[in-house]
Amino acid sequence: SLQPLPVATGVVIVTNAGGPAVMATDACERAGVALASLENSTTTALRELLPPAAALYNPVDILGDAEPARYEAALRLTYRDPNVNCVLCILTPQAMTDPVATAEAFASVAAEHPDVTSIACFMGRDSLEEAWAVLRERHIPNYPFPEREVSSIGALYAYRHVLERPDTMDSSIQRNASMVSDAIAVARGRHHSFITEQHAAEVLDAYGIRVPQGQVARDLKSALAAATRIGYPVVAKIASPDILHKSDVGGIRVGIANADELSIAYEEILGKARAYMADAVIDGVLIQQMAPVGREVIIGVDRDPTFGPLLMFGLGGVYVEVLKDVVFRLCPVDFAQARQMISEIRGFGLLRGARGEQPADLDAIADVIVRVSVLAMEHPEILELDINPLIVGQTHEGAMAADVRIGIGG
Protein backbone atom coordinates (compact mmCIF):
# COMPACT_ATOMS: atom_id res chain seq x y z
CA SER A 1 0.00 0.00 0.00
CA LEU A 2 2.98 2.33 0.44
CA GLN A 3 4.57 1.53 -2.91
CA PRO A 4 3.55 2.81 -6.35
CA LEU A 5 1.79 0.33 -8.60
CA PRO A 6 4.11 -0.88 -11.40
CA VAL A 7 3.20 1.02 -14.55
CA ALA A 8 4.08 -1.93 -16.78
CA THR A 9 5.75 -5.32 -16.71
CA GLY A 10 9.48 -5.51 -16.17
CA VAL A 11 11.02 -6.78 -12.92
CA VAL A 12 14.73 -6.78 -12.18
CA ILE A 13 16.29 -8.91 -9.43
CA VAL A 14 19.45 -7.62 -7.73
CA THR A 15 20.98 -10.19 -5.35
CA ASN A 16 24.12 -11.30 -3.52
CA ALA A 17 23.13 -14.99 -3.65
CA GLY A 18 22.36 -17.15 -6.67
CA GLY A 19 19.99 -19.59 -4.95
CA PRO A 20 17.40 -17.05 -3.83
CA ALA A 21 17.64 -15.38 -7.25
CA VAL A 22 16.69 -18.67 -8.90
CA MET A 23 13.82 -19.05 -6.43
CA ALA A 24 12.60 -15.55 -7.31
CA THR A 25 12.94 -16.22 -11.05
CA ASP A 26 10.95 -19.45 -10.82
CA ALA A 27 8.29 -17.68 -8.76
CA CYS A 28 8.04 -14.95 -11.40
CA GLU A 29 7.46 -17.56 -14.09
CA ARG A 30 4.75 -19.28 -12.05
CA ALA A 31 3.05 -15.96 -11.27
CA GLY A 32 3.22 -14.69 -14.84
CA VAL A 33 5.43 -11.77 -13.77
CA ALA A 34 7.79 -10.83 -16.61
CA LEU A 35 11.46 -10.13 -15.94
CA ALA A 36 12.89 -7.01 -17.56
CA SER A 37 15.29 -7.34 -20.49
CA LEU A 38 18.11 -4.98 -19.59
CA GLU A 39 19.45 -2.59 -22.21
CA ASN A 40 22.94 -3.26 -23.62
CA SER A 41 24.10 0.00 -22.08
CA THR A 42 23.02 -1.25 -18.65
CA THR A 43 24.81 -4.60 -18.92
CA THR A 44 27.94 -2.86 -20.27
CA ALA A 45 27.98 -0.50 -17.29
CA LEU A 46 27.43 -3.42 -14.93
CA ARG A 47 30.34 -5.28 -16.52
CA GLU A 48 32.64 -2.35 -15.80
CA LEU A 49 31.37 -2.08 -12.23
CA LEU A 50 31.07 -5.66 -10.99
CA PRO A 51 33.66 -8.42 -10.46
CA PRO A 52 34.28 -10.75 -13.44
CA ALA A 53 32.30 -13.60 -11.82
CA ALA A 54 29.14 -11.51 -11.40
CA ALA A 55 25.99 -12.24 -13.43
CA LEU A 56 25.24 -9.18 -15.55
CA TYR A 57 21.85 -10.14 -16.89
CA ASN A 58 18.60 -10.39 -15.04
CA PRO A 59 18.87 -11.62 -12.26
CA VAL A 60 21.89 -9.41 -11.51
CA ASP A 61 24.08 -11.37 -9.07
CA ILE A 62 26.63 -9.01 -7.51
CA LEU A 63 28.19 -11.91 -5.52
CA GLY A 64 28.29 -12.79 -1.85
CA ASP A 65 31.04 -10.36 -0.85
CA ALA A 66 29.02 -7.35 -2.00
CA GLU A 67 29.36 -4.39 0.33
CA PRO A 68 26.74 -1.60 0.50
CA ALA A 69 28.59 0.54 -2.07
CA ARG A 70 28.40 -2.26 -4.68
CA TYR A 71 24.70 -2.71 -3.99
CA GLU A 72 24.11 1.01 -4.37
CA ALA A 73 26.02 1.29 -7.64
CA ALA A 74 24.31 -1.76 -9.18
CA LEU A 75 20.90 -0.55 -8.06
CA ARG A 76 21.47 2.91 -9.57
CA LEU A 77 22.19 1.35 -12.95
CA THR A 78 19.19 -0.99 -12.91
CA TYR A 79 16.76 1.71 -11.72
CA ARG A 80 17.79 3.88 -14.70
CA ASP A 81 17.07 1.14 -17.23
CA PRO A 82 13.92 2.12 -19.19
CA ASN A 83 12.68 -1.49 -19.17
CA VAL A 84 12.63 -1.73 -15.37
CA ASN A 85 9.41 -0.89 -13.54
CA CYS A 86 9.96 -2.95 -10.39
CA VAL A 87 13.13 -3.74 -8.40
CA LEU A 88 13.45 -6.79 -6.14
CA CYS A 89 16.49 -6.46 -3.90
CA ILE A 90 17.61 -9.72 -2.27
CA LEU A 91 20.17 -9.91 0.53
CA THR A 92 21.52 -12.91 2.44
CA PRO A 93 23.80 -12.18 5.42
CA GLN A 94 27.34 -13.33 4.60
CA ALA A 95 30.77 -12.50 6.01
CA MET A 96 31.16 -9.22 4.09
CA THR A 97 27.50 -8.15 4.35
CA ASP A 98 26.40 -4.97 6.13
CA PRO A 99 22.60 -5.34 6.19
CA VAL A 100 21.80 -1.97 7.81
CA ALA A 101 24.00 0.09 5.46
CA THR A 102 22.68 -1.91 2.49
CA ALA A 103 19.08 -1.22 3.53
CA GLU A 104 19.88 2.50 3.78
CA ALA A 105 21.53 2.46 0.36
CA PHE A 106 18.58 0.63 -1.21
CA ALA A 107 16.09 3.04 0.35
CA SER A 108 18.07 6.08 -0.81
CA VAL A 109 18.24 4.93 -4.42
CA ALA A 110 14.59 3.90 -4.38
CA ALA A 111 13.60 7.38 -3.14
CA GLU A 112 15.21 8.87 -6.25
CA HIS A 113 12.82 6.81 -8.42
CA PRO A 114 9.36 7.21 -6.86
CA ASP A 115 7.60 5.76 -9.92
CA VAL A 116 9.42 2.41 -9.65
CA THR A 117 8.08 -0.28 -7.31
CA SER A 118 10.72 -1.29 -4.74
CA ILE A 119 10.51 -4.46 -2.66
CA ALA A 120 13.12 -6.12 -0.45
CA CYS A 121 13.85 -9.70 0.49
CA PHE A 122 16.41 -9.50 3.30
CA MET A 123 16.63 -13.14 4.35
CA GLY A 124 17.55 -14.02 7.92
CA ARG A 125 16.48 -13.57 11.52
CA ASP A 126 18.02 -11.72 14.48
CA SER A 127 20.98 -10.26 12.57
CA LEU A 128 18.62 -8.40 10.21
CA GLU A 129 16.20 -6.78 12.64
CA GLU A 130 17.91 -3.37 12.41
CA ALA A 131 17.89 -3.56 8.61
CA TRP A 132 14.21 -4.46 8.61
CA ALA A 133 13.52 -1.42 10.80
CA VAL A 134 15.26 0.82 8.24
CA LEU A 135 13.18 -0.64 5.42
CA ARG A 136 9.95 -0.21 7.38
CA GLU A 137 10.81 3.39 8.20
CA ARG A 138 11.48 4.10 4.51
CA HIS A 139 8.22 2.40 3.44
CA ILE A 140 9.87 -0.51 1.62
CA PRO A 141 8.14 -3.85 2.29
CA ASN A 142 10.40 -6.75 3.17
CA TYR A 143 9.62 -10.46 2.83
CA PRO A 144 11.52 -13.40 4.34
CA PHE A 145 11.37 -15.52 1.18
CA PRO A 146 11.44 -14.69 -2.56
CA GLU A 147 8.19 -16.53 -3.31
CA ARG A 148 6.17 -14.23 -1.04
CA GLU A 149 7.98 -11.22 -2.47
CA VAL A 150 7.00 -12.19 -6.02
CA SER A 151 3.45 -13.08 -4.96
CA SER A 152 3.00 -9.51 -3.75
CA ILE A 153 4.35 -8.16 -7.03
CA GLY A 154 1.87 -10.36 -8.90
CA ALA A 155 -0.94 -8.93 -6.77
CA LEU A 156 0.17 -5.37 -7.59
CA TYR A 157 0.14 -6.13 -11.31
CA ALA A 158 -3.31 -7.70 -11.00
CA TYR A 159 -4.59 -4.66 -9.11
CA ARG A 160 -3.18 -2.34 -11.77
CA HIS A 161 -5.02 -4.37 -14.40
CA VAL A 162 -8.29 -4.05 -12.48
CA LEU A 163 -7.91 -0.28 -12.11
CA GLU A 164 -7.21 0.15 -15.82
CA ARG A 165 -10.05 -2.13 -16.89
CA PRO A 166 -12.54 -0.23 -19.03
CA ASP A 167 -16.17 0.09 -18.03
CA THR A 168 -17.59 -3.34 -18.77
CA MET A 169 -21.28 -2.53 -18.41
CA ASP A 170 -22.93 -3.80 -21.58
CA SER A 171 -25.29 -1.01 -22.63
CA SER A 172 -26.42 -2.93 -25.72
CA ILE A 173 -28.55 -5.39 -23.73
CA GLN A 174 -32.25 -4.86 -24.29
CA ARG A 175 -34.07 -4.85 -20.96
CA ASN A 176 -37.23 -3.69 -19.26
CA ALA A 177 -36.02 -2.13 -16.00
CA SER A 178 -39.49 -0.94 -15.02
CA MET A 179 -40.75 -4.54 -14.89
CA VAL A 180 -38.01 -5.35 -12.36
CA SER A 181 -38.90 -2.31 -10.28
CA ASP A 182 -42.55 -3.37 -10.30
CA ALA A 183 -41.68 -6.88 -9.09
CA ILE A 184 -39.56 -5.44 -6.29
CA ALA A 185 -42.37 -3.04 -5.32
CA VAL A 186 -44.87 -5.91 -5.10
CA ALA A 187 -42.58 -7.87 -2.78
CA ARG A 188 -41.96 -4.82 -0.61
CA GLY A 189 -45.67 -4.10 -0.47
CA ARG A 190 -46.21 -7.57 0.96
CA HIS A 191 -43.26 -7.08 3.37
CA HIS A 192 -41.38 -10.02 1.82
CA SER A 193 -37.61 -10.29 1.54
CA PHE A 194 -37.84 -12.54 -1.53
CA ILE A 195 -39.61 -12.03 -4.83
CA THR A 196 -42.05 -14.79 -5.70
CA GLU A 197 -40.72 -17.31 -8.22
CA GLN A 198 -43.19 -16.23 -10.89
CA HIS A 199 -42.14 -12.58 -10.53
CA ALA A 200 -38.48 -13.62 -10.33
CA ALA A 201 -38.87 -15.40 -13.68
CA GLU A 202 -40.39 -12.21 -15.07
CA VAL A 203 -37.34 -10.29 -13.81
CA LEU A 204 -35.02 -12.58 -15.76
CA ASP A 205 -37.24 -12.39 -18.82
CA ALA A 206 -37.11 -8.60 -18.61
CA TYR A 207 -33.32 -8.84 -19.06
CA GLY A 208 -33.49 -11.27 -21.96
CA ILE A 209 -32.75 -14.45 -19.98
CA ARG A 210 -34.80 -17.37 -21.23
CA VAL A 211 -37.19 -18.86 -18.66
CA PRO A 212 -39.85 -21.60 -18.88
CA GLN A 213 -43.41 -20.56 -19.62
CA GLY A 214 -45.45 -20.59 -16.43
CA GLN A 215 -48.60 -19.50 -14.64
CA VAL A 216 -49.64 -19.48 -11.00
CA ALA A 217 -52.90 -21.41 -10.63
CA ARG A 218 -55.10 -20.63 -7.62
CA ASP A 219 -57.33 -23.67 -8.18
CA LEU A 220 -57.19 -27.00 -9.96
CA LYS A 221 -59.27 -25.81 -12.92
CA SER A 222 -56.79 -23.01 -13.59
CA ALA A 223 -53.89 -25.44 -13.22
CA LEU A 224 -55.36 -27.83 -15.81
CA ALA A 225 -56.01 -24.94 -18.20
CA ALA A 226 -52.47 -23.65 -17.80
CA ALA A 227 -50.99 -27.11 -18.46
CA THR A 228 -53.08 -27.47 -21.61
CA ARG A 229 -51.89 -24.10 -22.87
CA ILE A 230 -48.23 -24.78 -22.04
CA GLY A 231 -48.27 -28.40 -23.20
CA TYR A 232 -47.45 -31.55 -21.28
CA PRO A 233 -45.17 -32.59 -19.67
CA VAL A 234 -45.17 -29.82 -17.07
CA VAL A 235 -43.68 -29.02 -13.68
CA ALA A 236 -45.79 -28.05 -10.66
CA LYS A 237 -44.28 -26.03 -7.78
CA ILE A 238 -45.74 -24.55 -4.64
CA ALA A 239 -46.06 -20.77 -5.07
CA SER A 240 -45.32 -19.25 -1.68
CA PRO A 241 -43.01 -16.39 -0.62
CA ASP A 242 -42.59 -18.17 2.73
CA ILE A 243 -41.36 -21.51 1.32
CA LEU A 244 -38.01 -20.98 -0.42
CA HIS A 245 -36.66 -24.54 -0.54
CA LYS A 246 -39.58 -26.21 -2.27
CA SER A 247 -37.98 -29.60 -2.85
CA ASP A 248 -37.28 -30.00 0.88
CA VAL A 249 -41.02 -30.02 1.65
CA GLY A 250 -42.21 -32.03 -1.36
CA GLY A 251 -43.36 -28.86 -3.07
CA ILE A 252 -42.22 -29.80 -6.57
CA ARG A 253 -43.37 -32.40 -9.10
CA VAL A 254 -41.64 -32.78 -12.44
CA GLY A 255 -42.52 -34.68 -15.60
CA ILE A 256 -46.31 -34.49 -15.11
CA ALA A 257 -47.60 -36.14 -18.27
CA ASN A 258 -51.37 -35.63 -18.23
CA ALA A 259 -54.35 -34.10 -16.47
CA ASP A 260 -54.84 -37.02 -14.09
CA GLU A 261 -51.25 -36.82 -12.84
CA LEU A 262 -51.54 -33.04 -12.49
CA SER A 263 -54.74 -33.34 -10.42
CA ILE A 264 -53.02 -35.68 -7.98
CA ALA A 265 -49.82 -33.59 -7.88
CA TYR A 266 -51.75 -30.37 -7.29
CA GLU A 267 -53.50 -31.63 -4.19
CA GLU A 268 -50.37 -33.33 -2.81
CA ILE A 269 -48.25 -30.20 -3.21
CA LEU A 270 -50.78 -28.01 -1.41
CA GLY A 271 -51.26 -30.58 1.33
CA LYS A 272 -47.56 -30.97 2.05
CA ALA A 273 -46.99 -27.23 1.99
CA ARG A 274 -49.74 -26.60 4.54
CA ALA A 275 -48.47 -29.43 6.71
CA TYR A 276 -44.95 -28.01 6.60
CA MET A 277 -45.97 -24.40 7.40
CA ALA A 278 -49.58 -23.94 8.37
CA ASP A 279 -49.40 -20.15 8.46
CA ALA A 280 -47.48 -19.78 5.16
CA VAL A 281 -48.88 -17.44 2.55
CA ILE A 282 -49.73 -19.68 -0.42
CA ASP A 283 -50.49 -18.00 -3.73
CA GLY A 284 -51.29 -21.27 -5.47
CA VAL A 285 -49.32 -23.73 -7.57
CA LEU A 286 -46.96 -22.65 -10.33
CA ILE A 287 -47.51 -24.67 -13.51
CA GLN A 288 -44.40 -24.46 -15.61
CA GLN A 289 -42.96 -25.72 -18.85
CA MET A 290 -40.46 -28.59 -18.46
CA ALA A 291 -36.94 -27.33 -19.05
CA PRO A 292 -35.02 -29.12 -21.80
CA VAL A 293 -32.36 -31.72 -20.96
CA GLY A 294 -28.84 -30.33 -20.66
CA ARG A 295 -25.93 -29.58 -18.36
CA GLU A 296 -26.76 -27.80 -15.13
CA VAL A 297 -24.81 -24.74 -13.97
CA ILE A 298 -25.40 -22.07 -11.34
CA ILE A 299 -25.12 -18.31 -11.67
CA GLY A 300 -25.49 -16.25 -8.51
CA VAL A 301 -25.09 -12.78 -7.07
CA ASP A 302 -24.35 -11.74 -3.50
CA ARG A 303 -24.14 -8.02 -2.71
CA ASP A 304 -21.17 -7.18 -0.50
CA PRO A 305 -21.63 -4.01 1.57
CA THR A 306 -18.16 -2.79 0.60
CA PHE A 307 -17.50 -4.10 -2.90
CA GLY A 308 -21.02 -4.28 -4.29
CA PRO A 309 -22.45 -7.19 -6.31
CA LEU A 310 -20.25 -10.27 -6.40
CA LEU A 311 -20.96 -12.68 -9.25
CA MET A 312 -20.62 -16.47 -8.88
CA PHE A 313 -20.50 -19.24 -11.48
CA GLY A 314 -20.13 -22.99 -11.12
CA LEU A 315 -21.61 -26.39 -11.79
CA GLY A 316 -25.26 -26.38 -10.74
CA GLY A 317 -27.84 -28.65 -9.20
CA VAL A 318 -26.48 -30.82 -6.39
CA TYR A 319 -22.91 -30.34 -7.63
CA VAL A 320 -22.64 -26.83 -6.21
CA GLU A 321 -23.41 -28.08 -2.70
CA VAL A 322 -21.23 -31.18 -2.88
CA LEU A 323 -18.25 -30.04 -4.96
CA LYS A 324 -18.37 -26.29 -4.28
CA ASP A 325 -16.69 -25.82 -7.66
CA VAL A 326 -17.35 -22.10 -8.13
CA VAL A 327 -15.53 -18.93 -9.16
CA PHE A 328 -16.25 -15.27 -8.38
CA ARG A 329 -15.95 -11.85 -10.01
CA LEU A 330 -16.87 -8.34 -9.02
CA CYS A 331 -19.57 -6.85 -11.22
CA PRO A 332 -19.71 -5.65 -13.89
CA VAL A 333 -18.22 -8.30 -16.18
CA ASP A 334 -18.07 -8.34 -19.95
CA PHE A 335 -18.40 -11.28 -22.32
CA ALA A 336 -14.67 -12.09 -22.35
CA GLN A 337 -14.51 -12.08 -18.56
CA ALA A 338 -17.60 -14.29 -18.40
CA ARG A 339 -15.94 -16.82 -20.73
CA GLN A 340 -12.85 -16.71 -18.51
CA MET A 341 -14.99 -17.47 -15.44
CA ILE A 342 -16.46 -20.51 -17.16
CA SER A 343 -13.01 -21.89 -18.00
CA GLU A 344 -11.72 -21.48 -14.43
CA ILE A 345 -13.90 -24.05 -12.67
CA ARG A 346 -12.40 -27.50 -12.14
CA GLY A 347 -15.37 -29.11 -13.92
CA PHE A 348 -14.85 -27.09 -17.10
CA GLY A 349 -14.05 -30.29 -18.99
CA LEU A 350 -17.64 -31.46 -18.42
CA LEU A 351 -18.91 -28.34 -20.18
CA ARG A 352 -16.30 -28.37 -22.91
CA GLY A 353 -17.17 -31.96 -23.78
CA ALA A 354 -15.49 -35.08 -22.44
CA ARG A 355 -15.19 -38.63 -23.79
CA GLY A 356 -17.10 -37.94 -26.97
CA GLU A 357 -19.82 -35.71 -25.50
CA GLN A 358 -20.83 -32.61 -27.41
CA PRO A 359 -19.75 -29.32 -25.79
CA ALA A 360 -22.27 -27.18 -23.95
CA ASP A 361 -23.30 -23.81 -25.36
CA LEU A 362 -20.58 -21.82 -23.59
CA ASP A 363 -21.50 -18.59 -25.34
CA ALA A 364 -25.05 -18.89 -24.04
CA ILE A 365 -23.73 -19.30 -20.47
CA ALA A 366 -21.49 -16.25 -20.88
CA ASP A 367 -24.42 -14.26 -22.24
CA VAL A 368 -26.52 -15.05 -19.17
CA ILE A 369 -23.62 -14.15 -16.85
CA VAL A 370 -23.31 -10.73 -18.53
CA ARG A 371 -27.07 -10.11 -18.32
CA VAL A 372 -27.15 -11.05 -14.62
CA SER A 373 -24.20 -8.69 -14.06
CA VAL A 374 -26.10 -5.80 -15.67
CA LEU A 375 -29.24 -6.67 -13.70
CA ALA A 376 -27.32 -6.60 -10.41
CA MET A 377 -25.57 -3.33 -11.24
CA GLU A 378 -28.77 -1.54 -12.22
CA HIS A 379 -30.88 -2.72 -9.28
CA PRO A 380 -29.08 -2.28 -5.95
CA GLU A 381 -32.22 -3.48 -4.17
CA ILE A 382 -31.29 -7.02 -5.25
CA LEU A 383 -29.17 -8.40 -2.42
CA GLU A 384 -28.93 -11.98 -3.65
CA LEU A 385 -29.85 -13.94 -6.73
CA ASP A 386 -29.51 -17.61 -7.61
CA ILE A 387 -30.23 -19.23 -10.95
CA ASN A 388 -29.93 -22.90 -10.09
CA PRO A 389 -29.99 -24.69 -12.32
CA LEU A 390 -29.40 -22.92 -15.59
CA ILE A 391 -30.04 -25.71 -18.10
CA VAL A 392 -27.54 -25.47 -20.94
CA GLY A 393 -27.96 -27.22 -24.27
CA GLN A 394 -25.30 -28.11 -26.79
CA THR A 395 -23.56 -25.47 -28.90
CA HIS A 396 -26.07 -22.99 -30.41
CA GLU A 397 -28.97 -24.53 -28.44
CA GLY A 398 -29.00 -21.82 -25.77
CA ALA A 399 -29.76 -21.96 -22.06
CA MET A 400 -32.83 -21.73 -19.83
CA ALA A 401 -33.12 -20.66 -16.19
CA ALA A 402 -35.12 -23.53 -14.70
CA ASP A 403 -35.26 -22.11 -11.18
CA VAL A 404 -34.48 -18.66 -9.75
CA ARG A 405 -34.51 -17.04 -6.33
CA ILE A 406 -34.15 -13.28 -5.76
CA GLY A 407 -33.75 -11.67 -2.36
CA ILE A 408 -34.26 -7.92 -1.91
CA GLY A 409 -33.55 -5.25 0.67
CA GLY A 410 -33.01 -1.51 0.99
Side-chain angles (χ1 to χ4, degrees), residues 61-124:
D61 187 352
I62 62 177
L63 303 181
D65 62 350
E67 70 284 357
R70 190 187 301 172
Y71 261 103
E72 182 175 355
L75 286 167
R76 287 191 185 281
L77 290 174
T78 53
Y79 267 100
R80 292 172 185 164
D81 193 291
N83 300 321
V84 171
N85 292 293
C86 179
V87 175
L88 307 186
C89 182
I90 299 176
L91 176 143
T92 61
Q94 302 183 38
M96 300 292 291
T97 305
D98 185 339
V100 174
T102 302
E104 292 172 345
F106 180 31
S108 296
V109 177
E112 298 171 5
H113 301 271
D115 295 332
V116 178
T117 308
S118 303
I119 296 188
C121 179
F122 280 37
M123 303 177 67

Side-chain angles (χ1 to χ4, degrees), residues 105-393:
F106 180 31
S108 296
V109 177
E112 298 171 5
H113 301 271
D115 295 332
V116 178
T117 308
S118 303
I119 296 188
C121 179
F122 280 37
M123 303 177 67
R125 295 294 297 178
D126 297 344
S127 65
L128 296 183
E129 286 186 355
E130 290 185 49
W132 294 342
V134 170
L135 295 170
R136 283 195 299 271
E137 183 179 345
R138 303 293 289 273
H139 296 163
I140 295 178
N142 177 73
Y143 295 86
F145 294 101
E147 292 89 348
R148 289 181 58 190
E149 182 182 36
V150 172
S151 177
S152 294
I153 290 295
L156 290 177
Y157 277 118
Y159 185 43
R160 164 69 73 179
H161 177 73
V162 169
L163 293 179
E164 294 178 345
R165 187 177 67 185
D167 183 5
T168 53
M169 181 76 81
D170 192 336
S171 59
S172 67
I173 290 178
Q174 298 295 317
R175 62 263 203 194
N176 186 344
S178 62
M179 183 179 292
V180 180
S181 299
D182 291 344
I184 292 172
V186 169
R188 281 178 169 170
R190 300 175 69 178
H191 304 289
H192 292 149
S193 57
F194 283 86
I195 299 175
T196 63
E197 185 173 355
Q198 179 64 15
H199 285 158
E202 293 172 358
V203 167
L204 296 189
D205 183 62
Y207 273 71
I209 299 171
R210 187 174 160 215
V211 295
Q213 298 180 55
Q215 177 184 328
V216 175
R218 299 187 180 277
D219 54 49
L220 179 57
K221 181 179 178 180
S222 299
L224 293 171
T228 300
R229 179 179 58 81
I230 294 171
Y232 290 99
V234 296
V235 177
K237 305 176 181 178
I238 189 67
S240 170
D242 298 321
I243 302 176
L244 301 179
H245 301 287
K246 303 173 181 62
S247 58
D248 292 348
V249 301
I252 297 179
R253 293 289 189 278
V254 300
I256 299 172
N258 52 53
D260 290 339
E261 291 184 10
L262 178 56
S263 299
I264 296 171
Y266 184 92
E267 297 300 335
E268 286 184 349
I269 288 173
L270 287 177
K272 289 187 176 183
R274 292 188 178 112
Y276 171 75
M277 188 180 293
D279 58 347
V281 174
I282 296 178
D283 296 328
V285 175
L286 174 61
I287 308 302
Q288 203 171 54
Q289 169 192 4
M290 277 280 292
V293 176
R295 276 95 156 183
E296 296 185 358
V297 300
I298 182 173
I299 297 173
V301 171
D302 186 31
R303 190 171 297 275
D304 184 90
T306 301
F307 298 106
L310 188 65
L311 195 64
M312 176 191 71
F313 169 77
L315 294 180
V318 298
Y319 292 112
V320 67
E321 298 176 4
V322 176
L323 302 180
K324 304 187 187 305
D325 185 13
V326 295
V327 295
F328 297 89
R329 287 292 190 283
L330 289 174
C331 293
V333 301
D334 59 21
F335 189 83
Q337 292 164 347
R339 282 298 302 258
Q340 181 66 30
M341 289 180 69
I342 297 168
S343 68
E344 287 179 3
I345 64 171
R346 296 189 300 275
F348 176 57
L350 299 175
L351 301 176
R352 187 175 50 192
R355 300 184 67 86
E357 286 189 344
Q358 292 296 314
D361 195 337
L362 303 181
D363 285 347
I365 301 174
D367 180 70
V368 174
I369 290 175
V370 172
R371 292 175 186 274
V372 169
S373 169
V374 175
L375 171 63
M377 292 294 293
E378 292 186 340
H379 296 278
E381 309 95 325
I382 296 177
L383 301 185
E384 58 179 288
L385 182 152
D386 280 321
I387 300 175
N388 185 28
L390 179 75
I391 307 295
V392 187

